[in-house]
Amino acid sequence: MNADYGAPTELAGPLQQRRALYQPRLPPCLQGATVRVEYGDATTTIDPTGAHAVAQAFPRTYGQRLVTFLAPDDTAGAGKAVDEVGVVFSGRQSPGGHNVVWGLHDALKAYNPHSILYGFIGGTEGLFANKTLEITDDVLASYKNQGGFDLLGRSIDQIRSSKQVSAAMTTCQNLNLDGLVIVGGVTSNSDAAQLAETLVQKNCKTKVVGVPVSLNGDLKNQFVETTVGFDTVCKVNSQLISNVCLDAISAGKYYYFVRLMGRKASHVALECALQSHPNMLIMGEEVALSKLTLMEVINKICDGVQARAELGKHHGVLLIPEGLIESIPEMYALIQEISILHNNNVPVTEIPTQVSPWAAALFQFLPPFIRRELLLHQESDNSAQLSQIDTEQLLAHLVEAEMIKRTKEGRYKGKKFSSVCHFFGYQARGSLPSNFDCDYAYVLGHISLHMIAAGLTGYMATVANLKDPVHKWRCAAAPLTAMMSVRRHLRGPGAIPIGKPAIHPSPIDLKGKAYELLREKASSFLLDDFYRTPGGIQFEGPGSDAKPITLTIEDQDYMGDIEMLKLYLDKVKTIVKPGCSRDTLKAAISSMISVTHVLTVMSHPLNAELPLYHFN
Ligand SMILES: O=P(O)(O)OC[C@H]1O[C@](O)(CO)[C@@H](O)[C@@H]1O
């Protein structure tokens, strides 16, 4: 274990030091030491047909009510005593994570100056082994508004096996923790829900609170608008991509294939494309929906290269998400077969000989480097190690082969195709977080304390209205079980639920505004070299309050456009009957619009027009 966790960074550069002085903004409701806690509706889940399975798996924490935090008034009761709290980085490093700890610390000390905040050293393994660092003002000083997770470090993103859960519980008991704050993405928050349920069942007093921190931006639902770190990572990557675009157009001889982090969903890739305007973006969700084969994807790219060559352009920039490889149906099937063999402890060297004949044929067709990468052990969510699979190199390799073939057949008459490959992601995880991520994380840290003081367990800290200035942010908490769904067996009648309920990554909403915007611009991006230079993250002055395009555009659509909302309400009336249940109504709304906005829409004043539809 590194003995330097929490040590001051003495060689800080001038920008680093200046950033440490930035004071994140708080909405009015969080500016005092206490808050007023308002309880809303009891929840079910975002997956109505999986509700029963979730209720069964979480008997003690399912169905809890939504909670909103408001500025205190005379009616505000005193919160519970909070003396000891722990915080752990469970997910992957994501810019802004440090500010969750800082926000939690400040709120905790304001609430009870004698309290202690323990940070677990080395992530979840530190939690299991009870390795702590007391978080103080001094410890925090050089980590405020800084990237990475190096204040405490991280290890595996898992608190899942019974051994891990029981080790975590023992630590909570040994430290007499009133609350445990788990910082991470979909996997960490699913585990947080399980830990919360277990602790309630075992009468352990520790309240478990999840905080949505993940660069992937895939922990997104009607309660969570975005995750901490997504904004920064997209800004850093967009700058790198736009640099590459200008490099490409300057020399006019290379195609750059850029793979972006973000796991299964393409949120990072979509946001970066909207910020930097590369020539092509191959989104996993589109490929999966159209069931494009690997060779169809290659042909699509080659058609783009050819169309550009006809305009005399022999350069270009193509973005792909790291999850693309799993979106291609035959690759997904191959990865699944490998995964099953891994789970059955088949030695890696024997896996290629034990897959089905068609999978073996596909495997042999792939270049050796991809074969090796596909055989790597799986991630904690049982998916392939997407960061280690050089899909951009696979595509560049196959595109080159296809362009040579087209040249020989006389179908392509342009210059020789040449590529340069990049994988962007690790470069951004340690970046200085944007003002948005600094504020958002600090606010979530505060909310976490108020959740513990309110005695909430199995909840996630949330903020709504993020597209607005901080003083309009709405601070809330939503039960983790309300965000869960159950993966289904798609074959056979009745879609039998399988797998444990979990919070799953949300894919790009192909009915959403951001995707629509990309589609509108796609042909101009392909042919016009309409590159955009967003530049580096701005911390002061113009651009310093810029937020993700995908966040602001979706909100504008449904919160600002009353006419559109009216149209959409009329449409709802045509597909559900008066008196239908709230869940049916929710499902109907979800089928038409981005799930992120279901609750926004359901709570809109216009819903008064539809009293019979239980829009409350
Ligand atoms: O740091 P590691 O273990 O290589 O993890 C890489 C993974 O983490 C992420 O950066 C964040 O979930 C993914 O995009 C990537 O696949």
Side-chain angles (χ1 to χ4, degrees), residues 121-246:
I121 296 177
T124 48
E125 278 170 2
L127 170 68
F128 307 147
N130 196 354
K131 287 200 172 154
T132 59
L133 170 74
E134 186 179 340
I135 306 290
T136 61
D137 267 328
D138 282 351
V139 164
L140 281 166
S142 46
Y143 294 91
K144 293 177 177 174
N145 308 311
Q146 310 292 317
F149 274 8
D150 52 321
L151 164 63
L152 295 167
R154 62 153 263 241
S155 46
I156 46 160
D157 52 347
Q158 236 194 44
I159 314 174
R160 199 163 317 148
S161 68
S162 38
K163 199 169 156 207
Q164 289 167 335
V165 170
S166 116
M169 185 168 87
T170 305
T171 297
C172 292
Q173 286 167 332
N174 288 346
L175 293 174
N176 199 24
L177 294 185
D178 296 297
L180 173 66
V181 177
I182 297 181
V183 176
V186 284
T187 320
S188 306
N189 278 285
S190 298
D191 289 351
Q194 187 55 60
L195 182 63
E197 175 71 25
T198 309
L199 297 194
V200 174
Q201 289 182 10
K202 306 252 179 204
N203 290 324
C204 172
K205 72 167 187 174
T206 311
K207 310 296 175 212
V208 181
V209 164
V211 184
V213 176
S214 163
L215 72 92
N216 304 335
D218 56 358
L219 203 180
K220 207 173 173 171
N221 50 50
Q222 57 256 56
F223 311 103
V224 185
E225 295 180 3
T226 188
T227 43
V228 170
F230 174 74
D231 180 47
T232 305
V233 164
C234 291
K235 282 179 171 145
V236 173
N237 285 334
S238 298
Q239 183 190 17
L240 296 175
I241 294 160
S242 80
N243 294 353
V244 160
C245 289
L246 296 186

Side-chain angles (χ1 to χ4, degrees), residues 92-93 154 157 214-216 260-263 322 379 384-388 423 425-426 429:
R92 263 50 182 241
Q93 44 277 41
R154 62 153 263 241
D157 52 347
S214 163
L215 72 92
N216 304 335
L260 291 159
M261 273 190 170
R263 297 201 62 69
E322 64 180 0
E379 296 277 12
Q385 278 196 45
L386 299 175
S387 61
Q388 304 302 311
F423 175 39
Y426 289 110
R429 299 200 306 195

Side-chain angles (χ1 to χ4, degrees), residues 75-400:
T75 65
K80 298 189 188 321
V82 182
D83 299 310
E84 274 102 13
V85 171
V87 59
V88 61
F89 289 138
S90 170
R92 263 50 182 241
Q93 44 277 41
S94 189
H98 285 146
N99 276 26
V100 174
V101 182
W102 179 21
L104 173 62
H105 170 267
D106 285 6
L108 180 62
K109 292 292 172 180
Y111 189 78
N112 171 9
H114 305 294
S115 58
I116 300 178
L117 176 60
Y118 296 103
F120 291 102
I121 296 177
T124 48
E125 278 170 2
L127 170 68
F128 307 147
N130 196 354
K131 287 200 172 154
T132 59
L133 170 74
E134 186 179 340
I135 306 290
T136 61
D137 267 328
D138 282 351
V139 164
L140 281 166
S142 46
Y143 294 91
K144 293 177 177 174
N145 308 311
Q146 310 292 317
F149 274 8
D150 52 321
L151 164 63
L152 295 167
R154 62 153 263 241
S155 46
I156 46 160
D157 52 347
Q158 236 194 44
I159 314 174
R160 199 163 317 148
S161 68
S162 38
K163 199 169 156 207
Q164 289 167 335
V165 170
S166 116
M169 185 168 87
T170 305
T171 297
C172 292
Q173 286 167 332
N174 288 346
L175 293 174
N176 199 24
L177 294 185
D178 296 297
L180 173 66
V181 177
I182 297 181
V183 176
V186 284
T187 320
S188 306
N189 278 285
S190 298
D191 289 351
Q194 187 55 60
L195 182 63
E197 175 71 25
T198 309
L199 297 194
V200 174
Q201 289 182 10
K202 306 252 179 204
N203 290 324
C204 172
K205 72 167 187 174
T206 311
K207 310 296 175 212
V208 181
V209 164
V211 184
V213 176
S214 163
L215 72 92
N216 304 335
D218 56 358
L219 203 180
K220 207 173 173 171
N221 50 50
Q222 57 256 56
F223 311 103
V224 185
E225 295 180 3
T226 188
T227 43
V228 170
F230 174 74
D231 180 47
T232 305
V233 164
C234 291
K235 282 179 171 145
V236 173
N237 285 334
S238 298
Q239 183 190 17
L240 296 175
I241 294 160
S242 80
N243 294 353
V244 160
C245 289
L246 296 186
D247 196 75
I249 197 171
S250 304
K253 60 175 181 172
Y254 293 130
Y255 270 87
Y256 291 90
F257 282 61
V258 180
R259 175 169 51 111
L260 291 159
M261 273 190 170
R263 297 201 62 69
K264 288 184 187 155
S266 310
H267 298 285
V268 172
L270 175 59
E271 176 66 29
C272 291
L274 292 175
Q275 289 197 21
S276 61
H277 302 184
N279 300 105
M280 288 182 245
L281 162 62
I282 311 286
M283 278 178 32
E285 289 83 347
E286 271 182 328
V287 168
L289 184 76
S290 314
K291 299 194 170 48
L292 294 185
T293 63
L294 180 57
M295 282 323 289
E296 283 169 336
V297 172
I298 297 302
N299 277 319
K300 194 174 152 144
I301 301 170
C302 291
D303 292 346
V305 171
Q306 201 159 330
R308 290 177 56 77
E310 279 158 22
L311 299 175
K313 297 178 180 181
H314 293 93
H315 64 274
V317 177
L318 169 111
L319 301 190
I320 60 161
E322 64 180 0
L324 178 67
I325 192 86
E326 283 195 334
S327 309
I328 299 171
E330 71 270 28
M331 293 303 300
Y332 177 75
L334 170 62
I335 290 169
Q336 286 301 104
E337 285 202 26
I338 294 174
S339 155
I340 291 169
L341 294 170
H342 268 308
N343 287 340
N344 292 339
N345 296 321
V346 172
V348 173
T349 46
E350 287 175 27
I351 289 180
T353 59
Q354 294 206 17
V355 291
S356 62
W358 77 263
L362 173 59
F363 190 76
Q364 287 312 321
F365 161 79
L366 298 169
F369 66 91
I370 291 285
R371 284 188 229 157
R372 200 175 47 248
E373 293 162 358
L374 287 174
L375 291 176
L376 291 171
H377 271 277
Q378 300 142 279
E379 296 277 12
S380 61
D381 62 355
N382 287 334
S383 67
Q385 278 196 45
L386 299 175
S387 61
Q388 304 302 311
I389 302 177
D390 294 315
T391 311
E392 74 287 11
Q393 294 191 27
L394 172 67
L395 297 189
H397 172 85
L398 295 175
V399 166
E400 184 173 356

